[in-house]
Amino acid sequence: EAQVTQNPRYLITVTGKKLTVTCSQNMNHEYMSWYRQDPGLGLRQIYYSMNVEVTDKGDVPEGYKVSRKEKRNFPLILESPSPNQTSLYFCASSLGGRLTGELFFGEGSRLTVL
Amino acid sequence: AQSVTQLDSHVSVSEGTPVLLRCNYSSSYSPSLFWYVQHPNKGLQLLLKYTSAATLVKGINGFEAEFKKSETSFHLTKPSAHMSDAAEYFCVVSDLMASGYSTLTFGKGTMLLVSP
């Protein structure tokens, strides 16, 4: 089954404790992206990747890192989480570097930073 | 720069009545437009898309949207709401950059509430 898989789905952590949210897709998609969703703000893009070893900042990259060492995986790293990073995070992928807009989303990772 | 405005943060309808979710956009070129749906505790799912073919686009679950360039609108409609339509809906515009790649801009979402 074609899917985007995120882990963990739920996480509570404390300020400053490094964490990684994994994202994996099995559709051989070139494009992958991370979004955060906050009430009243919709979805905001954190980072995206057009292909392996090619990443770029989205609208709200501060406090986050990503890597794209292989096509299927695109982990999101919070080196030193802070409470303002409490949010619902979505990973998404799309076929082709020239984004058509047809994104496939994971089911989300709800992160709470105390 | 492109932008998307969803005119209502919440829309309430009764089951069996029509649904109208409004979306206006601005774009430098000829955009592609999309509607996504998000059910509770789920990721977003593509509902329908417009990519410069027919201006009336049909999607899944009986939804459709009409692209009106003169009004820069892409409103989502459904003739008869079902309880299972209760969800949040996002209008999205995709625009081509000079680099040849596209960017996506999401609206802030409209929560559709359906009462029995």
Side-chain angles (χ1 to χ4, degrees):
Chain A
E1 181 189 352
Q3 58 186 4
V4 178
T5 304
Q6 297 178 225
N7 281 296
R9 292 288 314 281
Y10 301 91
L11 179 63
I12 299 174
T13 190
V14 295
T15 299
K17 186 176 182 181
K18 180 180 178 179
L19 68 92
T20 299
V21 186
T22 63
C23 174
S24 180
Q25 50 93 4
N26 63 0
M27 296 168 279
N28 202 36
H29 284 172
E30 292 181 2
Y31 180 93
M32 297 185 75
S33 180
W34 276 102
Y35 295 88
R36 61 178 287 173
Q37 184 178 24
D38 302 288
L41 297 178
L43 269 78
R44 294 179 292 169
Q45 190 176 49
I46 304 171
Y47 270 94
Y48 64 97
S49 170
M50 293 292 189
N51 213 326
V52 175
E53 301 293 359
V54 179
T55 63
D56 210 344
K57 296 177 180 178
D59 300 317
V60 288
E62 295 77 20
Y64 304 95
K65 285 175 56 177
V66 292
S67 69
R68 187 91 182 273
K69 292 184 170 52
E70 47 190 346
K71 201 170 190 177
R72 64 182 292 127
N73 295 323
F74 190 46
L76 179 69
I77 303 158
L78 286 72
E79 293 273 4
S80 182
S82 62
N84 65 12
Q85 292 178 297
T86 293
S87 187
L88 179 58
Y89 291 87
F90 287 101
C91 180
S93 71
S94 179
L95 182 64
R98 293 177 184 270
L99 184 61
T100 65
E102 295 182 58
L103 288 170
F104 292 80
F105 283 84
E107 295 211 321
S109 296
R110 187 169 292 281
L111 172 64
T112 301
V113 183
L114 303 176
Chain B
Q2 61 193 26
S3 66
V4 179
T5 303
Q6 292 185 240
L7 296 158
D8 307 291
S9 60
H10 293 79
V11 169
S12 295
V13 301
S14 299
E15 192 174 21
T17 64
V19 175
L20 170 64
L21 305 183
R22 299 181 294 165
C23 173
N24 286 108
Y25 71 93
S26 68
S27 173
S28 303
Y29 302 102
S30 294
S32 296
L33 293 156
F34 308 82
W35 278 98
Y36 280 82
V37 60
Q38 184 182 25
H39 288 96
N41 300 314
K42 295 290 185 182
L44 281 72
Q45 178 187 14
L46 182 66
L47 202 56
L48 52 80
K49 64 177 180 179
Y50 166 77
T51 54
S52 76
T55 56
L56 182 62
V57 182
K58 294 187 185 302
I60 60 173
N61 300 332
F63 283 94
E64 60 183 39
E66 186 171 8
F67 174 69
K68 292 187 177 180
K69 188 173 183 178
S70 61
E71 299 176 11
T72 61
S73 69
F74 190 57
H75 302 334
L76 182 69
T77 60
K78 182 174 180 177
S80 176
H82 192 272
M83 295 296 290
S84 61
D85 295 328
E88 190 160 22
Y89 292 80
F90 293 91
C91 182
V92 181
V93 60
S94 173
D95 215 349
L96 196 60
M97 296 186 292
S99 63
Y101 291 101
S102 299
T103 62
L104 289 184
T105 301
F106 285 78
K108 288 185 168 37
T110 298
M111 185 68 72
L112 176 64
L113 307 168
V114 183
S115 56

